[in-house]
Each structure stands twice: as C-alpha cells, then as structure tokens.
Amino acid sequence: MTIEEKDLLNSILNSLSHIDFIKPEDFPNIDLYMDQVTTFMDTQLSACKRHTEDKVLTKTMINNYAKNNLLPPPVKKKYSKEHMLALIFIYYFKNILSIGDIQAILNPITDKYFASDASFSLEDIYTEIFRLEKAGILNMQKDLTRKYQTSLQTFTDTPQEDQAELQRFAFICMLCFDVYMKKQLIEHMIDGRIPEMGKAKKSSEKSKKADN
C-alpha cells in the first residue's frame, strides 16, 4: 500500500471516528420557533454537511414533513424537544428511504411515544438507538478496511497508470452495493417481514390517494 493509499484509508477511518450525534442534554429545554430549530440543527449537524453552504433542514422541509404526517404539528408554532428528536431520525432516514417508508418506520414510534405519559419516552429511544450507532462505528471501520484492502487486489493486470483509478472505482462499487443490499433489506422488512410496518405503509398510501 502506497503512502497516498494509506492517507485515503486513514482519512476515511478518521472521519468515522469523529461522527457524533446530538446528545439529549444538548437540546434546548424550551420550545423553539421554526427559525430557531433550523439554526440549532444546522449548527449541531454541520459536520454532516457535504458542502459548507448546504442546509441540514429548511423551513420548507419541516413543513413538508408535518404535511406528510412524518412530524407531529407544532404547538402554537413552537417545536418541542421531541419534535427535534423526530427530526433527527427523519434527517438520517431521508437520505436512503422514501417518504412512505419513513412513515411506516417512524409513525408507530411517534404515535406511541411522542408527548406520552409512558415511563419510556421518545428521548429514551433516541438515546438507545444512537448508543448502538456509536458502538457500531468500530465494526464499520474494520469492515471498511477489509473492503479497501480487497479493492487493492483488483485490476492488478491493468496498466500501472490505470490501477489506482480502477481500484478506487472498485472500492466505491463495493460500498454502493453494501448500501443497496441494506436498503433492499429495510424495504423487505417494511413490505412483509413486519406486518405492522406493512399495514402502516398501506394506510399512508391510501391516505395520500384520498388527499389527491
């Protein structure tokens, strides 16, 4: 492995090690207006942005989430801590899942635990989920290292000047295939493996048709 290749791998692994989530204690303890919500999210999740000028969440996005029944409506134009917890889940889900699939996954959770008097809250769910994600980063780093090393064993018979580009392409394809397969698994679970999710999705689709 050349110095340049090591730098690429180390850069990827280092970026993963710095991934963090907004801790429950970092959320404001008061309800916020829309502008305050977007500012808070943009500040807290700035490391997730691909480009500096990108917006994590916009007013239009949040209004659309409420319109599509992904997010409970604000109370007197103010959003609670639970609203922001739900927005975090939506933010991550929307990169790979459709609106209908997010509804199927998230609505049963918010219906039961949003602003609930139950001893187990949406905040408890958020904390447990992101604890799992944090713990999984080490395994992800190991998996990425294995995939990267495998990609370096491809296209060894091609001209030397083409190998680096082709091997990087192979690495990207391996990562894309991994994401694709996991997305297929999630959709399969929503459509059939978990009846409640399948029912929730069909219900949301009927609701959309009725609105049209």
Side-chain angles (χ1 to χ4, degrees):
M1 187 182 295
T2 66
I3 293 176
E4 183 180 353
E5 289 164 353
K6 285 182 179 179
D7 287 345
L8 175 60
L9 181 59
N10 288 336
S11 175
I12 294 171
L13 298 180
N14 185 60
S15 65
L16 282 177
S17 67
H18 287 89
I19 290 177
D20 202 358
F21 69 100
I22 308 176
K23 300 174 180 62
E25 59 267 24
D26 293 336
F27 287 94
N29 288 320
I30 58 172
D31 295 347
L32 303 179
Y33 287 108
M34 175 79 82
D35 286 339
Q36 295 171 309
V37 172
T38 55
T39 299
F40 175 81
M41 293 296 189
D42 202 59
T43 301
Q44 293 292 324
L45 295 175
S46 59
C48 298
K49 295 192 292 186
R50 184 177 183 182
H51 305 292
T52 305
E53 64 274 15
D54 290 345
K55 294 293 183 181
V56 172
L57 288 169
T58 65
K59 295 179 183 179
T60 301
M61 290 179 188
I62 295 175
N63 284 330
N64 284 338
Y65 298 152
K67 182 180 178 181
N68 284 284
N69 196 32
L70 287 179
L71 187 72
V75 178
K76 296 181 179 179
K77 297 185 178 181
K78 284 189 173 183
Y79 296 84
S80 67
K81 183 177 184 178
E82 289 184 313
H83 278 105
M84 289 187 280
L85 294 174
L87 280 170
I88 295 294
F89 285 119
I90 295 170
Y91 172 74
Y92 287 112
F93 287 152
K94 74 183 180 69
N95 290 291
I96 55 173
L97 298 175
S98 68
I99 293 293
D101 285 343
I102 298 175
Q103 285 177 325
I105 294 171
L106 192 58
N107 283 9
I109 301 299
T110 53
D111 287 348
K112 187 171 183 179
Y113 297 104
F114 191 96
S116 170
D117 294 330
S119 58
F120 197 71
S121 67
L122 190 61
E123 182 176 328
D124 294 324
I125 295 172
Y126 174 90
T127 301
E128 179 66 9
I129 292 299
F130 281 93
R131 181 190 66 79
L132 292 174
E133 298 300 323
K134 191 72 174 176
I137 288 178
L138 179 59
N139 289 331
M140 187 182 299
Q141 288 174 320
K142 292 178 180 178
D143 181 59
L144 284 174
T145 300
R146 285 193 296 268
K147 283 184 170 63
Y148 190 77
Q149 291 173 344
T150 299
S151 72
L152 296 180
Q153 297 169 18
T154 63
F155 301 106
T156 54
D157 295 333
T158 58
Q160 186 70 34
E161 63 270 18
D162 297 335
Q163 282 187 17
E165 181 179 2
L166 290 171
Q167 288 169 350
R168 183 169 298 196
F169 179 70
F171 182 49
I172 291 172
C173 287
M174 292 172 72
L175 296 177
C176 288
F177 183 71
D178 187 60
V179 173
Y180 171 77
M181 292 303 295
K182 288 175 180 175
K183 184 174 183 288
Q184 289 285 308
L185 174 60
I186 294 169
E187 291 173 351
H188 181 64
M189 292 173 66
I190 293 171
D191 292 339
R193 289 290 182 87
I194 304 180
E196 291 79 6
M197 287 188 175
K199 182 186 289 187
K201 183 178 180 183
K202 289 177 182 177
S203 176
S204 67
E205 289 173 348
K206 287 181 180 178
S207 176
K208 280 186 181 179
K209 291 178 180 178
D211 291 339
N212 293 333

